[in-house]
Amino acid sequence: MSLIGPRPERPELVELYSDLIPGFDRRHEIPPGITGLAQIRAGYHTDAAYKLGHDLQYLVNWSPALDLYILAMTGWVMARRRG
């Protein structure tokens, strides 16, 4: 597991989503992470297909600058939710 990447799903949900959502398996091309683009742009109770879009965007556009942006925004999102 890395610091930044798609959040891992429970195995039973991976099986279900892989059958229902085209391209879902692509999110396994990179290691899972604690935080990611889907976590800063989508809420916790967001549709898996919507989160997949952010995961694939991260996969295609990965850069050190994007990782720094996600780290900074993770701090911002966490601070905002506490207030």
Side-chain angles (χ1 to χ4, degrees), residues 24-35:
F24 188 81
D25 290 333
R26 289 220 47 217
R27 68 192 304 273
H28 297 113
E29 293 177 15
I30 51 177
I34 297 169
T35 187

Side-chain angles (χ1 to χ4, degrees), residues 3-52:
L3 183 60
I4 301 172
R7 290 290 300 269
E9 289 286 355
R10 295 187 311 254
E12 61 273 11
L13 291 180
V14 169
E15 215 174 291
L16 174 68
Y17 293 154
S18 294
D19 292 339
L20 295 176
I21 304 170
F24 188 81
D25 290 333
R26 289 220 47 217
R27 68 192 304 273
H28 297 113
E29 293 177 15
I30 51 177
I34 297 169
T35 187
L37 206 52
Q39 280 66 49
I40 63 171
R41 292 192 174 163
Y44 182 77
H45 298 289
T46 303
D47 181 57
Y50 182 74
K51 287 182 182 179
L52 175 64

